[in-house]
């Protein structure tokens, strides 16, 4: 299976990335994580993206806060799909990172998930890899079913408690 390449702008983004790596672990998807910044270590971020396809990656996840240019910088240097996670890390509650990540110019797309959306970033990466991987698609189907069952269990509890 192709790996997921994960990069974060700072180790202060780690709690968000942990949500992604936990989900990938659950699904049995291999990944590689790095701390590379679009601003502080631009060469390393660029090299990771430029070499990603040759190094066995199938999709990239990039997480950053504040003036969050990392996902865009990765996307500029690969045609692998890039998923951006805007991180809440400033006085602007993540809105700065959201806009910096999502507002890409035509030609260089970044699939942006919600602010701090680490789990969804991993699930989207899994869904991209599952296009060519039936076993992984089956795992994703099973997860949807068990997630739905958990919600219906909560419905039954709330209904039993509150409905007349
Ligand atoms: C961004 O600035 C990082 O992605 C992080 O979210 C934010 C703050 O970084 P640190 O000052 O905590 O290293 O580049």
């Amino acid at each position: 299976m192709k790996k997921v390449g994960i990069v974060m702008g700072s180790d202060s983004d780690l709690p968000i990335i942990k949500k992604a790596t936990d989900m990938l672990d659950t699904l049995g998807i291999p990944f590689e994580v790095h701390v590379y910044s679009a601003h502080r270590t631009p060469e390393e971020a660029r090299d990771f993206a430029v070499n990603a396809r040759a190094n066995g990656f199938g999709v990239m996840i990039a997480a950053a806060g504040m003036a969050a240019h990392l996902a865009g910088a990765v996307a500029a240097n690969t045609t692998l799909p890039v998923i951006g996670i805007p991180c809440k890390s400033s006085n602007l509650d993540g809105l700065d990172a959201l806009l910096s990540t999502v507002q890409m110019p035509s030609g260089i797309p970044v699939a942006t998930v919600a602010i701090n959306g680490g789990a969804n970033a991993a699930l989207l990466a899994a869904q991209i890899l599952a296009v060519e991987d039936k076993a992984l698609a089956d795992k994703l189907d099973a997860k949807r079913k068990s997630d739905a069952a958990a919600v219906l269990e909560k419905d039954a509890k709330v209904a039993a408690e509150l409905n007349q």
Side-chain angles (χ1 to χ4, degrees), residues 64-69 85-90 92-103 112 115:
M66 300 181 78
H69 300 129
I85 309 174
C87 297
K88 178 176 168 177
S89 64
S90 75
L92 295 176
D93 278 344
L95 186 59
D96 46 357
L98 173 63
L99 297 179
S100 304
T101 305
V102 78
Q103 286 287 68
T112 304
I115 295 169

Side-chain angles (χ1 to χ4, degrees), residues 9-10 12-13 40 63-66 87 89:
S10 167
S12 63
D13 302 319
R40 293 164 174 159
M66 300 181 78
C87 297
S89 64

Side-chain angles (χ1 to χ4, degrees), residues 108-128:
I108 310 292
V110 167
T112 304
V113 296
I115 295 169
N116 288 357
N120 263 4
L123 282 170
L124 185 52
Q127 288 177 205
I128 290 167

Side-chain angles (χ1 to χ4, degrees), residues 123 127 137-151:
L123 282 170
Q127 288 177 205
D138 288 346
K139 278 188 194 174
L140 289 168
D141 281 339
K143 179 173 167 24
R144 285 279 175 102
K145 287 195 180 97
S146 79
D147 287 353
V151 171

Side-chain angles (χ1 to χ4, degrees), residues 2 4 7 9 11 26-27 50 56 66 76 88-89 99 101 107 114 117 119 121 126 129 133 145 147-148 154:
K2 299 266 189 209
V4 179
V7 59
D11 63 351
T26 300
L27 293 166
V50 165
M66 300 181 78
K88 178 176 168 177
S89 64
L99 297 179
T101 305
L129 295 177
D133 187 327
K145 287 195 180 97
D147 287 353
K154 289 173 188 168

